[in-house]
Amino acid sequence: MDQRKPLDITAIGLMVGICTIWAMQQIGLKATESYASSVFQIGIRSGLAAACVYTLTAFRQKRPLLSGGTALLGALAGLLFAFEFLLIGKALEYSTASHVVVFLYTAPVFAALGLHLKLSTERLSALQWGGIFVAVIGIAYAFLTPGADQSGTPAAASMLLGDTLALLAAVLWGATTVLIRTTRLNELYATHVLFYQLAITAIILITIAAFTGQAGIIPSAPLFWNLAFQSVIVAFASFLCWFWMLTRYKATQLGVFSFLTPLIGVILGYFLLGDALTTGFLIGSAGVLIGIIIVSASPWVERSLRTYRTPRKDQEITT
């Protein structure tokens, strides 16, 4: 039986902080890609964060299993995680940070679809299907609108490729959430689940960077500060908090706050990186965000409507 709780004040506060951190990760990677490729940076940060997680588990004398069926499931989650971030790294090479963050955070929709098929407790309602339809229309509109071709921004074809890669990364993120929620990984410590994903990601991305000529580094203060932020704050602290929350709260309800990430990301990308924002992209993004909100918040709406429509006992007596 699913024992996950509805969101409380603690969960809401944590999600606001997590969304802000996640919005910053694409900004940081994009801003320092001239010093080291995004793929290589993600590989390095994953390795450093994996070392932090393993040290934490060793301190608690609860090291993750490195063999057996659980480890295999962890490796599979790690593969999904690794290729998600490989796609993110490549997407940032072709598109803007603002575009990538919006398309990446369609992941709650894909997770909701997968959980609908796998768990009876998280089946989608008619209102949620309507939200998915709105999000799909928003994606289509943003894709079909010509990309910005002003000076300093990617050309339309390059932007489309980057946006597509970011959307595929969102699919993998959704698949990872479904895998964790519907297998034995769901019963593990959050530190164990995170270690599997970070370790596999580090191995795969650093290897890919080495074999594709993307492993070069230009030493600089901005790069090292960004790697420290990405490793300790993003990959270690925020991801650990996220996986801990997945073991205690409803995944679809957690998604109601993840839509804050693209909003924050777009604003930061505009002010910090000078990302161009076309009218078509803003309209399409609004559709995506509205769809995500409907999918994530509809359980609250439907519960409120049922409460409103159900007369209280004292009202029944007087009538």
Side-chain angles (χ1 to χ4, degrees):
M1 183 176 178
D2 194 349
Q3 300 296 325
R4 278 161 184 76
K5 303 184 297 182
L7 298 189
D8 51 27
I9 296 299
T10 299
I12 292 172
L14 288 173
M15 279 304 298
V16 171
I18 287 173
C19 289
T20 302
I21 291 170
W22 286 353
M24 286 296 298
Q25 69 171 319
Q26 276 80 33
I27 302 295
L29 289 169
K30 187 69 177 179
T32 57
E33 64 180 358
S34 60
Y35 303 109
S37 70
S38 297
V39 171
F40 194 39
Q41 286 194 59
I42 295 171
I44 292 173
R45 84 171 189 190
S46 298
L48 293 174
C52 292
V53 173
Y54 194 80
T55 301
L56 178 61
T57 60
F59 178 76
R60 294 179 174 178
Q61 298 182 340
K62 297 176 181 179
R63 293 183 177 88
L65 298 173
L66 300 178
S67 62
T70 300
L72 288 175
L73 283 173
L76 177 57
L79 286 173
L80 292 173
F81 199 69
F83 284 102
E84 172 198 335
F85 279 98
L86 174 63
L87 291 173
I88 292 172
K90 299 305 293 183
L92 287 168
E93 294 179 12
Y94 298 105
S95 189
T96 64
S98 298
H99 276 221
V100 170
V101 75
V102 168
F103 285 111
L104 177 61
Y105 283 87
T106 60
V109 172
F110 298 112
L113 283 169
L115 291 172
H116 173 82
L117 297 174
K118 302 289 274 186
L119 295 177
S120 60
T121 55
E122 300 212 42
R123 293 275 169 84
L124 294 173
S125 65
L127 183 58
Q128 287 175 308
W129 283 113
I132 289 176
F133 176 77
V134 172
V136 170
I137 294 299
I139 293 171
Y141 190 87
F143 265 65
L144 294 175
T145 302
D149 56 4
Q150 297 95 334
S151 175
T153 63
S158 176
M159 185 81 79
L160 182 60
L161 175 58
D163 293 348
T164 302
L165 294 175
L167 188 60
L168 291 175
V171 174
L172 291 182
W173 184 4
T176 304
T177 300
V178 173
L179 177 66
I180 293 170
R181 286 283 283 107
T182 59
T183 66
R184 280 178 293 172
L185 294 176
N186 186 46
E187 301 170 1
L188 297 183
Y189 294 110
T191 48
H192 293 193
V193 177
L194 181 58
F195 173 77
Y196 291 133
Q197 295 185 85
L198 291 173
I200 295 296
T201 299
I203 293 170
I204 291 177
L205 295 195
I206 291 176
T207 300
I208 289 176
F211 277 95
T212 58
Q214 301 180 71
I217 285 182
I218 300 176
S220 66
L223 175 63
F224 292 138
W225 278 113
N226 184 58
L227 283 175
F229 168 75
Q230 298 280 344
S231 302
V232 178
I233 304 300
V234 177
F236 176 63
S238 75
F239 288 169
L240 183 60
C241 186
W242 169 252
F243 289 118
W244 174 80
M245 293 178 73
L246 279 179
T247 65
R248 285 164 173 77
Y249 298 97
K250 295 282 187 180
T252 51
Q253 290 189 15
L254 287 173
V256 74
F257 281 95
S258 67
F259 80 91
L260 287 174
T261 305
L263 287 176
I264 296 171
V266 168
I267 294 170
L268 292 176
Y270 177 77
F271 284 106
L272 299 179
L273 300 179
D275 288 348
L277 301 177
T278 64
T279 302
F281 175 73
L282 290 174
I283 293 173
S285 298
V288 172
L289 297 178
I290 291 171
I292 291 174
I293 293 170
I294 293 173
V295 169
S296 302
S298 62
W300 291 350
V301 174
E302 291 166 351
R303 192 183 307 117
S304 298
L305 288 175
R306 285 196 298 269
T307 302
Y308 177 77
R309 291 171 181 171
T310 302
R312 295 181 309 185
K313 290 184 178 180
D314 58 346
Q315 291 177 327
E316 292 176 348
I317 293 173
T318 57
T319 55

